[in-house]
Amino acid sequence: MARLPRRLQHGDEVTLVEHLDELRSRLVISLVAVAAAFTVTWIFRKTIIGWLNRPLPADKKEPVTFNPLEAFSTSFKVAFLAALAIALPILLWQLWNFLAPAFEKTSQSVVVRLVFAATLLFAGGASFAYWVALPAAIPFLLDFDSDLYRNEIRAGPYYSFAATSIFGMGILFELPVVILGLVRLGITSSATLRRNRRIGLGLCIIAGVLLPGVDFVSTAVQTIPILLLFEVSIWVAVFFERRWADQIAARREAFASTEN
């Protein structure tokens, strides 16, 4: 029976083949985690789809399909996205284990906490999309010009919209972790973020617009919390930057010496 891969320590000298072997092992573990989670989500796909039906009106709880493959492909996509969400902590942990040797031991404990925070933020973003964004957007979309159209819900587009919105919102809620990670590594600073606030806010708006949903209501509901998270992230970065001042300075000096 194959052993779990040993996490390399900072400063360990290994060959390229050993690095590739470890990468392969991490990928295998990640794929096994996703496959195991998918097995569970596929078994309970009807329950998951029932949850996604919650924002729909009572008379539209059974969306229609227009071809023989649509029911299977839709259920598969919903189950797969749910599996990725469930396996996310393991995926992040495997990614961190592979990257850990590049960080000093003083930085490794910080990154572990950031991985934990990323998992919680993903859950928060997905919950926000499910409990707030979708219930606000779906009734508006269905009632829009209802005197002109007979709006039937098609399974494929609706479940793709709902599942992708939930998963995408969870990913975008990782923004504070990304910003704190960049600050901790000395790649950026709170002062730089404040100077380029307009650019950052513009990118947040673009990210919100790229999420599923082309109407004003769903776009606004999805974008506003992202903008707030970006603003909060700047001030959280100010706080932690003071605590990490010595480590950040040392890392920037290391970067500078490497470039020279």
Side-chain angles (χ1 to χ4, degrees), residues 149-204:
Y149 309 103
R150 186 170 65 89
N151 204 336
E152 294 292 341
I153 306 297
R154 183 175 172 183
Y158 170 70
Y159 291 126
S160 293
F161 166 75
T164 306
S165 294
I166 293 172
F167 189 83
M169 198 59 143
I171 294 296
L172 288 179
F173 263 55
E174 308 281 7
L175 182 62
V177 170
V178 174
I179 290 177
L180 281 179
L182 294 176
V183 170
R184 181 62 179 82
L185 296 175
I187 298 174
T188 189
S189 66
S190 59
T192 301
L193 292 170
R194 281 181 285 180
R195 283 197 307 270
N196 296 281
R197 180 182 270 108
R198 291 183 179 180
I199 297 176
L201 293 176
L203 293 175
C204 290

Side-chain angles (χ1 to χ4, degrees), residues 91-155:
L91 300 180
L92 291 175
W93 186 248
Q94 292 305 313
L95 177 63
W96 159 240
N97 279 335
F98 182 73
L99 297 177
F103 299 87
E104 295 88 352
K105 290 185 177 180
T106 55
S107 299
Q108 291 187 11
S109 61
V110 175
V111 178
V112 170
R113 291 195 289 271
L114 289 178
V115 170
F116 179 72
T119 303
L120 294 181
L121 284 171
F122 179 89
S127 299
F128 177 86
Y130 180 74
W131 293 106
V132 179
L134 286 178
I138 297 302
F140 172 82
L141 293 172
L142 292 179
D143 292 338
F144 185 79
D145 281 349
S146 57
D147 56 328
L148 299 177
Y149 309 103
R150 186 170 65 89
N151 204 336
E152 294 292 341
I153 306 297
R154 183 175 172 183

Side-chain angles (χ1 to χ4, degrees), residues 47-64:
T47 300
I48 297 172
I49 289 175
W51 291 339
L52 295 179
N53 285 339
R54 177 179 169 269
L56 294 174
D59 60 337
K60 298 184 182 297
K61 297 290 187 182
E62 296 181 355
V64 299

Side-chain angles (χ1 to χ4, degrees), residues 40-42 44-53 78-79 82 86:
V40 175
T41 56
W42 181 257
F44 292 98
R45 65 187 184 279
K46 294 182 180 179
T47 300
I48 297 172
I49 289 175
W51 291 339
L52 295 179
N53 285 339
V78 169
I86 292 174

